[in-house]
Amino acid sequence: MQPARRIPFVLALGAAAGLAFAPPALAGPVSGDDYYQDALGKTGPELKAALHKIIGTNTKLTYEQVWDGIRATDEDPANKANVVLLYSGRSQAKTANGGGVDDWNREHVWAKSHGDFGTAVGPGTDLHHLRAEDASVNSTRGNKDFDAGGSPVEEAPGSLTDDDSFEPRDAVKGDVARMILYMAVRYDGTDGFPDLEPNDAVDNGSKPNIGRLSVLLTWNTQDPPDATEQRRNQVIYDQFQHNRNPFIDHPEWAASIYG
């Protein structure tokens, strides 16, 4: 049995990893697996449905509010004036955001054209998959699916890309996988938004799908949640959307639902 954990241990893990961040105050009573009480013991489609119900009622941000959200969620624990860019790994001033080639901007990890939701309040503004990234690297990733292989990406050491896919650096492969799986559980077509689902294909275009699922599941296992990812989940819960990414708290649920 998977032990109840992670939510109350975010701070301890951060200390063990030597991360100097100040924990935010809890927005509400969260203890162990209380948040997921209605999902515990379920598997497969029943687990997915239960998780959707748990995380599906959340505070929604405007696209403009996302800037401040990312400044908090992606803060560099070693320098509170900076954010850490997802694919690049670079620490950059929070104020250096915009459209310039060396600015950071808002990367939709689930590419907004996959389902054509754009920047609509909801999937287009959900902090659980919106990340800080170098503007030119964001452009290089574009709306490509995720897969292994390709050529090195300038300004994103360890990341690779080819004509139809993008491979992030090793340190965030699991992060990317868990963001994609969150989006698929949160947006299931029942609340006016597209039914988002990962598949095992690339070059999905505007369909509400993104791949490659088999690779994402491997990344979820190879790169388990670390203290930085757990802190981000907590900040979103406490300060902004008041919902969580269940695959950060329980990465084993990815195989239960999609394996």
Side-chain angles (χ1 to χ4, degrees), residues 1-9 13 32-34 36 39-43 47 220-221 224-225 230 246-256:
M1 176 181 290
Q2 183 72 22
R5 48 103 172 106
R6 292 191 177 90
I7 296 173
F9 297 141
L13 287 169
D33 276 319
D34 291 351
Y36 298 111
L40 298 179
K42 294 181 171 64
T43 60
L47 174 59
N220 175 59
T221 301
Q230 291 168 329
F247 300 102
I248 296 174
D249 295 322
H250 284 278
E252 72 279 4
W253 282 344
S256 179

Side-chain angles (χ1 to χ4, degrees), residues 181-220:
L181 298 179
Y182 162 87
M183 290 293 285
V185 170
R186 170 61 186 85
Y187 301 101
D188 67 351
T190 61
D191 52 4
F193 298 115
D195 183 3
L196 305 182
E197 278 298 326
N199 61 13
D200 215 38
V202 294
D203 203 16
N204 276 295
S206 62
K207 294 182 292 186
N209 307 112
I210 205 164
R212 189 177 299 267
L213 177 58
S214 58
V215 173
L216 294 169
L217 291 174
T218 297
W219 291 351
N220 175 59

Side-chain angles (χ1 to χ4, degrees), residues 100-121:
V101 293
D102 292 321
D103 289 338
W104 66 267
N105 60 14
R106 297 161 291 187
E107 155 71 342
H108 289 79
V109 175
W110 185 295
K112 58 184 181 289
S113 64
H114 289 234
D116 196 28
F117 53 76
T119 59
V121 172

